Amino acid sequence: MLRQLIQTTGVFGHNRIAASWFKTSIRKSSNATISIDSSSYLNKLKAKYELAQRLCLEDPERFSSSHVDKHNQPNSRDIFPNAELQLSRVRTYGFDYDYTLARYTDKLPETIYTMIRDVLVKKLLYPPALSALKYDKGFAIRGIVYDKETGWLFKLDSNYNIAMDTIHYGREPLRDLEEVYSLHNGPHIPPDYAKSQLYHLNDIYSVPEATLLADIIQYFTEHGIPFHPRYLAEDIRTAGEYIHKGDGISHSPLHTTIMDNIGDYLNRAPELLDILQALKKEGKRLFLLTNSGYDYINIGLTYMFNTSDWRDLFDVVIVRARKPGWYLSHRPFRLVPTATGSTRSRSQPWAPVDRFEDGQVYSGGNLMSFTSITGYSDRNVMYFGDHIYSDLRDPTIQKGWFTGAIVSELKYELSVLRRSEYRQTVTYMQLIEKILKSSQQGTRDPNYIQLPVEEKEAFRQLLDAGRMERRRMRWKLRDFFNPNFGSVFRTEKNPTLFATKIKSFANVYTADLSNLGAYPSDYIFYPKRMTQAHETRMPEVDDLLDEIQLGLGK
């Protein structure tokens, strides 16, 4: 019944139908002809459902903002630890540029979408009508995947299970979920398939790519144009690399556009300048490691910090690093000519580099040579970046660097978590889950086992009503974040694959690099104690902490 209802209504636009079904099921249980023994099971479950609705849905004050800060709720200025980290151990800080030091405006993803679209039309012979497509910033999120065999966009959880209510073909949700079961025999994606067929959209640049994939598939489908999903992904990837990298010698089309209109694409960051200067005063060593070119970051940092002397902040500046290959390659470093006039003409960028000189900029290189030249101790280095694979994974695995992930989506997601309606919905869903769990335990009771078949069926249908209500709340929670793909960090029950990678490869994560300035240099980050399925949570800790603070008058 539950699966049939989901498939007949689809996974979108079904909330009112599901809610009505839940209320009708409760009423039917009251009118059923039942024995005295079964009455206790049905009536108790019905009463629990009604009490849950009354406590959660009819008492919004319980979830108002006045209750949010009771236990120091997190906010977007916080840094969140995945592992214990002592800042006093960090002697060297490294930084990526794009989306780490550089804070781009909302105009950038729209420009990326438009430029890739135009390359497809003008250079790769895609239909001219696609030029009318416009970027929808609310469609996609970071961390989803594209199936190059089916053309589906969807979200994966930490166990490589598809979040079934996020599957899209073009701009439309996939309504026939049997297609998924036919392809994979369930929602799980086998490792070999994930490696060969899935295109992981993990960075912020990939959000406009995901939107363009959906828009073109929608257009092709509506106009009966045959295509292979893999070719579409490859073409969009090729166009994306072209606008980002150009011919490898001159400035890329995207970087040229940004440099020519720097104020439209970058936000100034005087507080970041203050933080970097404070770290230098404390005797910390700083380095910049980016895939972008020197001219690009020079214009950007000069604008952000309102000074052309930004290079004085860093002990080493590495551009065009070619991460993530940089961590395992054997490419040598080379000097980048940054002077002008006759001094520039005397530069020898082909000469070997065996040491880093103050005020100079270098390109290429590799992690092994970097460590050898600088002498930086592996376990004293912390590197901040926004990309799981280009910035976080290999420094952690290869050298044991501390790493910090910049996840700008945190700011919005934390604002959702603080909404009273969201907290109300989560509480109600979890309460329904606990009611279902305890009620199912009753079916193991000898008295229940002896009930007539039709009375067991009535009880089962009432359990199904609760399961549908629970699923309805899950859909509602998804829509708080993004109506198509939900939260960047969570599927229905588990962390997303993206969130799992952040946890695996980042010691800490935060919404903005400037948050580092709020923590003293001897601060110790303590991660939350994670409970496993067989362990018991200890809510008493928060209550005892309240008593301690109350006793101290705080």
Side-chain angles (χ1 to χ4, degrees):
M1 174 68 76
L2 178 61
R3 186 169 171 183
Q4 182 181 10
L5 179 67
I6 294 171
Q7 293 196 341
T8 55
T9 62
V11 294
F12 292 78
H14 50 270
N15 273 347
R16 279 181 287 183
I17 296 174
S20 175
W21 188 60
F22 182 59
K23 293 177 181 178
T24 302
S25 298
I26 295 176
R27 286 199 304 270
K28 283 183 178 179
S29 70
S30 300
N31 300 328
T33 303
I34 51 178
S35 66
I36 294 176
D37 288 336
S38 65
S39 174
S40 62
Y41 290 99
L42 282 168
N43 288 340
K44 283 181 179 178
L45 180 54
K46 174 178 173 292
K48 288 177 181 178
Y49 284 158
E50 291 175 340
L51 279 171
Q53 289 184 317
R54 192 178 311 150
L55 290 171
C56 295
L57 305 185
E58 298 176 13
D59 185 14
E61 177 58 28
R62 183 189 298 269
F63 307 96
S64 66
S65 58
S66 60
H67 298 280
V68 171
D69 294 322
K70 182 178 179 182
H71 296 303
N72 297 318
Q73 292 292 317
N75 62 70
S76 60
R77 297 290 297 166
D78 290 338
I79 294 178
F80 303 98
N82 292 318
E84 186 170 322
L85 172 64
Q86 301 178 34
L87 288 184
S88 61
R89 294 182 57 186
V90 180
R91 301 295 181 85
T92 304
Y93 284 93
F95 306 95
D96 182 35
Y97 175 74
D98 295 295
Y99 282 107
T100 300
L101 287 171
R103 299 174 183 157
Y104 291 108
T105 67
D106 290 341
K107 187 172 183 177
L108 180 57
E110 180 181 0
T111 298
I112 292 172
Y113 177 98
T114 302
M115 293 183 78
I116 293 177
R117 179 202 68 193
D118 291 347
V119 170
L120 293 175
V121 172
K122 295 176 181 178
K123 295 183 178 296
L124 299 180
L125 305 181
Y126 275 67
L130 294 181
S131 296
L133 295 176
K134 303 296 182 183
Y135 179 58
D136 176 6
K137 67 178 183 179
F139 174 72
I141 62 171
R142 178 158 55 147
I144 58 178
V145 299
Y146 174 77
D147 190 319
K148 291 178 283 189
E149 195 62 33
T150 64
W152 299 340
L153 283 165
F154 52 84
K155 192 166 66 174
L156 288 173
D157 74 5
S158 54
N159 299 313
Y160 283 83
N161 293 312
I162 299 173
M164 301 292 279
D165 60 345
T166 68
I167 307 173
H168 280 68
Y169 184 72
R171 295 297 293 257
E172 300 295 329
L174 186 70
R175 297 187 181 278
D176 185 4
L177 299 182
E178 285 299 330
E179 291 186 46
V180 183
Y181 288 91
S182 298
L183 181 61
H184 298 299
N185 295 318
H188 181 69
I189 299 291
D192 290 345
Y193 191 94
K195 185 176 181 179
S196 62
Q197 305 292 359
L198 298 187
Y199 174 20
H200 294 263
L201 300 156
N202 282 320
D203 61 17
I204 299 179
Y205 290 124
S206 64
V207 175
E209 291 182 17
T211 305
L212 188 56
L213 279 165
D215 287 346
I216 294 177
I217 289 176
Q218 188 70 30
Y219 178 87
F220 282 172
T221 302
E222 291 176 352
H223 291 81
I225 301 174
F227 70 99
H228 196 289
R230 181 179 294 273
Y231 293 151
L232 176 56
E234 290 176 353
D235 288 348
I236 287 181
R237 171 63 68 88
T238 298
E241 289 184 351
Y242 170 74
I243 70 166
H244 278 92
K245 300 177 181 179
D247 57 14
I249 299 175
S250 56
H251 299 140
S252 73
L254 179 62
H255 286 183
T256 298
T257 298
I258 294 172
M259 288 189 292
D260 290 345
N261 306 275
I262 196 69
D264 293 338
Y265 290 97
L266 267 184
N267 293 309
R268 294 192 186 272
E271 71 282 9
L272 273 184
L273 176 61
D274 294 339
I275 291 169
L276 297 178
Q277 289 175 334
L279 290 173
K280 289 289 286 185
K281 288 180 181 179
E282 292 177 3
K284 307 296 184 182
R285 297 167 299 199
L286 307 182
F287 68 90
L288 174 59
L289 175 66
T290 175
N291 286 347
S292 295
Y294 171 73
D295 291 340
Y296 179 68
I297 68 166
N298 180 42
I299 290 175
L301 290 173
T302 298
Y303 176 82
M304 289 166 54
F305 296 157
N306 198 29
T307 176
S308 59
D309 297 330
W310 61 266
R311 275 189 289 169
D312 295 340
L313 295 167
F314 300 100
D315 296 271
V316 184
V317 176
I318 309 295
V319 299
R320 296 191 183 277
R322 300 187 188 178
K323 298 175 295 178
W326 187 84
Y327 301 106
L328 296 174
S329 79
H330 296 281
R331 292 177 63 243
F333 286 102
R334 64 188 303 173
L335 180 68
V336 176
T338 59
T340 58
S342 60
T343 303
R344 181 182 180 89
S345 65
R346 291 196 299 270
S347 299
Q348 297 181 346
W350 53 84
V353 173
D354 55 12
R355 64 190 179 95
F356 295 144
E357 297 181 2
D358 292 341
Q360 298 295 340
V361 176
Y362 301 90
S363 69
N366 61 83
L367 176 58
M368 184 179 298
S369 296
F370 178 81
T371 303
S372 174
I373 294 173
T374 61
Y376 294 166
S377 174
D378 298 338
R379 290 304 296 170
N380 292 331
V381 177
M382 184 166 192
Y383 185 67
F384 283 91
D386 69 291
H387 197 286
I388 292 172
Y389 299 108
S390 292
D391 299 321
L392 305 173
R393 181 187 62 181
D394 287 316
T396 300
I397 294 174
Q398 302 300 327
K399 286 292 184 180
W401 286 3
F402 301 119
T403 51
I406 305 301
V407 187
S408 58
E409 294 91 344
L410 266 172
K411 186 174 183 178
Y412 174 72
E413 298 235 346
L414 286 167
S415 73
V416 171
L417 298 182
R418 295 174 69 87
R419 293 181 193 170
S420 58
E421 188 181 0
Y422 176 84
R423 298 172 65 244
Q424 182 183 39
T425 305
V426 170
T427 303
Y428 177 54
M429 184 192 73
Q430 291 179 337
L431 192 53
I432 291 293
E433 287 178 350
K434 288 183 179 294
I435 290 170
L436 288 169
K437 182 178 179 180
S438 63
S439 298
Q440 285 181 147
Q441 291 294 327
T443 62
R444 300 164 62 184
D445 188 85
N447 292 329
Y448 178 87
I449 295 173
Q450 296 176 10
L451 291 176
V453 172
E454 62 273 12
E455 293 173 5
K456 290 181 183 178
E457 177 62 18
F459 185 73
R460 186 193 67 76
Q461 289 184 7
L462 195 54
L463 285 176
D464 278 348
R467 295 184 182 112
M468 190 64 226
E469 181 74 347
R470 169 177 173 265
R471 181 168 289 276
R472 186 173 73 91
M473 290 302 106
R474 286 183 168 184
W475 289 323
K476 186 175 180 180
L477 290 175
R478 176 205 61 205
D479 292 350
F480 277 113
F481 297 96
N482 177 287
N484 304 309
F485 301 100
S487 167
V488 172
F489 292 90
R490 176 174 289 282
T491 59
E492 288 186 352
K493 250 329 189 181
N494 297 320
T496 59
L497 183 61
F498 173 81
T500 302
K501 298 299 183 183
I502 292 291
K503 181 176 178 59
S504 298
F505 301 128
N507 295 85
V508 298
Y509 62 101
T510 188
D512 193 279
L513 183 60
S514 65
N515 294 340
L516 182 63
Y519 294 84
S521 59
D522 60 350
Y523 193 89
I524 301 176
F525 292 98
Y526 297 104
K528 286 184 179 180
R529 176 183 172 85
M530 304 301 293
T531 57
Q532 300 183 63
H534 67 281
E535 295 178 322
T536 303
R537 290 182 65 251
M538 300 293 179
E540 305 85 26
V541 174
D542 286 334
D543 295 334
L544 291 172
L545 181 60
D546 281 347
E547 289 187 30
I548 291 172
Q549 292 176 335
L550 184 63
L552 295 174
K554 294 182 179 179

